[in-house]
């Protein structure tokens, strides 16, 4: 088997497996429904509200000192 045939075969297998993965992932996501208001409220209570955080007054600088 020549090198070119082997590379072409490997590329075809990689493309087929990538396509199968995309189809499987998309198929699983179609059953997810939008969150209800109750679920949204519970999520906001658990993770916190969308309010902006207060500014940091004291803390370490984020940029390096060269």
């Amino acid at each position: 088997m020549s090198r070119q045939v082997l590379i072409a075969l490997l590329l075809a297998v990689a493309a087929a497996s990538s396509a199968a993965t995309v189809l499987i992932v998309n198929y699983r996501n179609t059953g997810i429904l939008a969150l209800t208001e109750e679920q949204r409220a519970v999520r906001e209570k658990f993770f916190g509200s969308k309010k902006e955080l207060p500014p940091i007054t004291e803390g370490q600088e984020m940029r390096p000192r060269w």
Side-chain angles (χ1 to χ4, degrees):
M1 187 180 290
S2 70
R3 181 178 289 174
Q4 295 169 344
V5 173
L6 182 62
I7 291 173
L9 183 62
L10 289 175
L11 286 174
V13 169
S17 63
S18 297
T21 302
V22 167
L23 290 175
I24 290 171
V25 168
N26 285 341
Y27 176 73
R28 289 184 181 170
N29 288 341
T30 57
I32 298 174
L33 300 175
L35 295 177
T36 63
E37 289 299 321
E38 181 182 356
Q39 291 171 330
R40 194 167 301 163
V42 169
R43 181 183 66 182
E44 188 168 313
K45 181 180 177 185
F46 182 78
F47 288 111
S49 63
K50 297 179 182 179
K51 300 175 186 172
E52 289 194 27
L53 297 175
I56 297 173
T57 56
E58 297 179 21
Q60 183 176 357
E61 293 181 12
M62 295 298 288
R63 61 183 177 89
R65 297 181 189 179
W66 298 104

